[in-house]
Amino acid sequence: MSEVKIIEILEDVNAENNRTADAVREMMKRNGTFFVNFMSSPGSGKTTLLTRLINMLKDEYKIGEMDVDIKSSVDAKRVADETGIRSMQIHNGGLCHIDADMTSRAIMEYGAEDLDILILENIGNLVCPAEFDTGAHLNICLLSIPEGDDKPLKYPLMFTVSDVVLLTKIDTLPAFDFDLVKAKRNILNLNPNAIIIPVSAKNGTGMAEVVSLIKKEVEKIKNESAGTLC
């Protein structure tokens, strides 16, 4: 008679990553740097939105950006060229994600001690990036109008772990069969606390609201950092 050995795993398989992510978050808080993770599928308008957002914030805050990609450095170069800030390309060896250990090593290489804001432009994927805590203080997901309002149903984890959902390319709404009410309902059913902002990096719709949100988060981290130094 064959015998089956049963092994009970009493610890989350991502426990080590989560510990590293917590350490990254604490390090960045002590430093007074707000660390934000932007996630989305390819083509959602992440880089376009980020360049506009950075240009709206850079006169008030010192900002850094790290871009994750499998091979190219197109997006990192574009951010640097269009904003004038220092951008670093992270090649993740063909993986579909970046985890907290990779993030930690990238931050050490980048040097974020004098930054007010550090932006992580995660790899274009609605699945894998949601599975790994990077240590960011805030997770922002982009869902573009051309992608369709059913994406929260197809990729629920992404919308569950995201603190903010930006409905991008809102200027294209008349051209697509995208139900805003349905999309918002699907997102809030997964994550009742999600902040949902329709935006257009092209015409500026909603960008002031995103800037205001980022500023509040920066000041929150600054205040928490001051508290840890007391």
Side-chain angles (χ1 to χ4, degrees), residues 24-53:
V24 170
R25 247 186 307 276
E26 184 61 28
M27 174 186 71
M28 299 300 276
K29 184 178 76 172
R30 287 198 307 270
N31 190 50
T33 302
F34 170 57
F35 181 31
V36 55
N37 175 30
F38 282 82
M39 300 179 287
S40 76
S41 61
S44 66
K46 259 199 322 290
T47 307
T48 300
L49 181 137
L50 285 175
T51 55
R52 181 157 190 158
L53 181 63

Side-chain angles (χ1 to χ4, degrees), residues 8 19 35 40 44 63 96 130 135 143 184 199:
E8 292 188 14
R19 282 191 287 268
F35 181 31
S40 76
S44 66
I63 305 170
C96 61
L143 170 62
K184 290 178 180 179
V199 299

Side-chain angles (χ1 to χ4, degrees), residues 93-147:
L95 299 174
C96 61
H97 69 277
I98 181 170
D99 61 25
D101 181 61
M102 298 176 201
T103 305
S104 177
R105 287 186 279 127
I107 291 171
M108 294 303 179
E109 180 70 23
Y110 187 100
E113 294 81 7
D114 62 340
L115 296 179
D116 299 304
I117 303 169
L118 179 60
I119 293 168
L120 178 65
E121 183 177 354
N122 216 313
I123 194 164
N125 190 312
L126 280 179
V127 182
C128 303
E131 297 175 359
F132 294 88
D133 188 346
T134 61
H137 297 120
L138 194 76
N139 290 314
I140 297 180
C141 169
L142 279 63
L143 170 62
S144 70
I145 298 304
E147 291 176 81

